[in-house]
Amino acid sequence: MLGVLSPLLNKVDVNKIFRIGPFNRFEKAERVELPNSTQTSVDALVQEVVSRSSEAIGNSEFFIALVFEEFDNHLSEDEVSLVNKSGISTENPIGATEFYDENDELHCFVRAYSCNESELENVVRAKLARHLDLEPYYMAELFIVSSDGSKVINLYDERGMDIVWL
């Protein structure tokens, strides 16, 4: 079930976009640094990410892709609960694919979900919480993708995000 991921996957190898880990950096990306998290509230960081993402995508439609590593191809029960509490139903992804990351020797699973701005704020907050030692958080990597697959934003942690034009 590729669904909404198809336009993106027709342009680039999934392993080159959705890689997890310290080597998840793009050659042709704009690096956006976020304000220092020790001097900025989580709410301000969330608003900065949402604002920059909206600006980069041009206020067009988008979806999120959660990328996680699991042997049995699913989020943990706690992660499912957290993502569902964000307003996003994990039961019906609008797209899905998987790949093997040879460099990190990981099986990775990509699940795409419809998302509005309010839900995006909640998902971004939970993503940032993981890196700021706050609760609750989820372990999946977060990508924000324009519906036409022309732009991908990777919020890698509280320090910043990469914006990639494809």
Side-chain angles (χ1 to χ4, degrees):
M1 169 187 44
L2 296 178
V4 73
L5 291 170
S6 295
L8 177 64
L9 301 181
N10 288 334
K11 294 180 180 187
V12 67
D13 177 8
V14 65
N15 191 13
K16 292 185 178 172
I17 290 294
F18 296 120
R19 290 195 50 216
I20 295 176
F23 304 111
N24 184 8
R25 298 296 175 254
F26 304 103
E27 291 177 23
K28 297 179 181 179
E30 175 188 344
R31 172 69 42 101
V32 175
E33 293 184 14
L34 295 175
N36 186 318
S37 61
T38 60
Q39 301 170 350
T40 307
S41 72
V42 173
D43 289 337
L45 284 174
V46 168
Q47 289 308 311
E48 181 77 13
V49 169
V50 171
S51 173
R52 294 284 189 109
S53 298
S54 179
E55 182 181 301
I57 292 177
N59 295 316
S60 67
E61 291 187 19
F62 66 94
F63 61 91
I64 63 165
L66 297 178
V67 181
F68 53 96
E69 54 188 79
E70 289 284 339
F71 294 110
D72 51 2
N73 192 9
H74 72 277
L75 291 167
S76 73
E77 194 172 301
D78 289 341
E79 290 168 324
V80 166
S81 175
L82 179 60
V83 173
N84 288 343
K85 285 179 184 173
S86 294
I88 297 168
S89 172
T90 56
E91 290 188 24
N92 298 310
I94 56 175
T97 190
E98 58 189 74
F99 63 94
Y100 181 72
D101 182 342
E102 291 182 17
N103 293 332
D104 293 328
E105 299 179 346
L106 295 172
H107 288 281
C108 300
F109 303 93
V110 182
R111 297 292 175 265
Y113 300 101
S114 294
C115 186
N116 63 37
E117 193 168 305
S118 173
E119 294 163 341
L120 179 62
E121 289 176 6
N122 294 329
V123 171
V124 166
R125 182 174 282 104
K127 166 67 177 172
L128 292 172
R130 169 181 166 200
H131 299 285
L132 298 172
D133 293 326
L134 301 173
E135 297 282 340
Y137 65 86
Y138 60 87
M139 292 300 293
E141 296 300 318
L142 174 62
F143 294 81
I144 304 163
V145 184
S146 63
S147 293
D148 65 1
S150 65
K151 295 177 189 106
V152 177
I153 300 167
N154 170 226
L155 175 60
Y156 51 86
D157 60 26
E158 82 288 357
R159 295 171 297 162
M161 56 192 189
D162 287 330
I163 303 173
V164 182
W165 285 263
L166 301 173

